[in-house]
Each structure stands twice: as C-alpha cells, then as structure tokens.
Amino acid sequence: MTKIEPVSLTISATLDIGVNVTCPLWAEALPTAAGLSLDAADAAYHSALEHSEAKGDPGAEVSIVLADDAFVRELNRDFRGEDKATNVLSFPSAGTEEPPAPPGEPIILGDIIVAFETSAAEAKQQGKPLADHFCHLIVHGMLHLLGFDHQTDIMANAMEALEIKVLAGLDITNPYEDGVGEDKNQ
C-alpha cells in the first residue's frame, strides 16, 4: 500500500481537519478528494452547530482517512462484527474511555474512513458523480461524529434532512430524491 503524506489544514477557527490519503486510487479517480473532504466536513460541522445549543465552542478536531476496501473491511470486521467492506465508517470519540478535553482545548470528534472501491461502485451504480457521492459520505460520517444517527425513522429523517441541506450548500443535489441513499446500517 502506498502511503501519501497527510494533509492537515485549519478550515475555520473552530474545526481542524486532518486528511490522510492511504489509497492511491483516490488521487487517480478524484484528485480533489482531500479538498472536497475538507469542504464537506466543515459544512456539516457548521450546519450541525446551527442546530445545537453549543456556546463558546472551544473548537474541534476530526481525522479523515481515504482508504481502500480492504482497510475498511478489516475495521468493519474488527469493530462492527461485519466482515465486509462498506462505503464509510465513523468512529466517534464521544463515549470512549478517553478523558474529555481539558477546558478551552479542542474536542476530538473522531475519525471518518471512506473506502474507495465501494464508494466508486455505488456512485457508478447510482449514476452520480463520484465527487458528489464522496461529499455525501463525508457529510454523513461527520454527522455521525456529531451524534446524529438513523436508528429510527424519526432520527433518520432528521439526519437526512440535514444532509440534504448541507449538500445543497455544496451545490450537490438531494441524494435521496430517487430513493437511493446511504446504507442505513452504518
């Protein structure tokens, strides 16, 4: 596996995003993937903040890994008990045994890992540009890190509505309008 050096940029005063591209297929098929992930994660973060009661936010950090199916399959097997690749995995830091951030320090939200082969195949099957589908996966993963979920219809509808709003702000059409959306088991 070729390892490409991580990119870490501060997008805003409140969110630091690190992007690590471990699968060279991302750079070949979607050279703008790192930048798109920064934009999508930042948009999801700030949109979610609008819907929260957070005051005096000390900032947050998130890590995004653009990987291949083999890597995601291993994580999915080890942490979710499902021995298969999936498009995106989110590993929120909230609820882990890690101590909370000291006062005034950024909150570590967690990790988002996106699998190239599965994501590219889904985009092709759904007739969507890979860039649009990829941004949707990043937004979806980011919302999971922020506590959103789709375990019930009410929760799923709220999460999907926020995804649609964030994606519209990125000039991406509603991914659910054709009844084709994300796998509800993530």
Side-chain angles (χ1 to χ4, degrees), residues 50-186:
E50 291 173 12
H51 291 76
S52 76
E53 296 179 16
K55 301 286 185 250
D57 179 25
E61 295 179 6
V62 65
S63 172
I64 298 172
V65 178
L66 307 183
D68 60 15
D69 274 15
F71 183 74
V72 171
R73 180 180 181 166
E74 186 176 321
L75 291 173
N76 206 22
R77 181 192 66 228
D78 293 351
F79 292 96
R80 295 182 67 227
E82 296 185 28
D83 192 12
K84 64 179 183 173
T86 189
N87 52 16
V88 63
L89 290 172
S90 298
F91 293 99
S93 294
T96 64
E97 294 180 16
E98 294 293 319
E105 292 295 315
I107 298 163
I108 299 174
L109 296 175
D111 305 307
I112 300 168
I113 301 95
V114 185
F116 177 78
E117 297 92 337
T118 297
S119 300
E122 288 174 348
K124 184 176 180 180
Q125 177 187 29
Q126 296 171 15
K128 298 176 181 176
L130 178 58
D132 290 1
H133 187 57
F134 172 71
C135 286
H136 183 194
L137 296 175
I138 294 293
V139 167
H140 186 86
M142 188 68 179
L143 292 178
H144 274 305
L145 295 185
L146 295 167
F148 290 84
D149 214 331
H150 40 72
Q151 298 299 317
T152 68
D153 286 343
I154 291 172
M155 294 167 69
N157 290 338
M159 186 171 179
E160 287 176 10
L162 190 51
E163 289 176 10
I164 292 164
K165 176 184 174 193
V166 171
L167 292 170
L170 297 169
D171 293 323
I172 297 172
T173 60
N174 177 352
Y176 298 105
E177 66 188 3
D178 293 332
V180 180
E182 303 315 312
D183 177 0
K184 298 293 187 195
N185 296 317
Q186 295 188 43

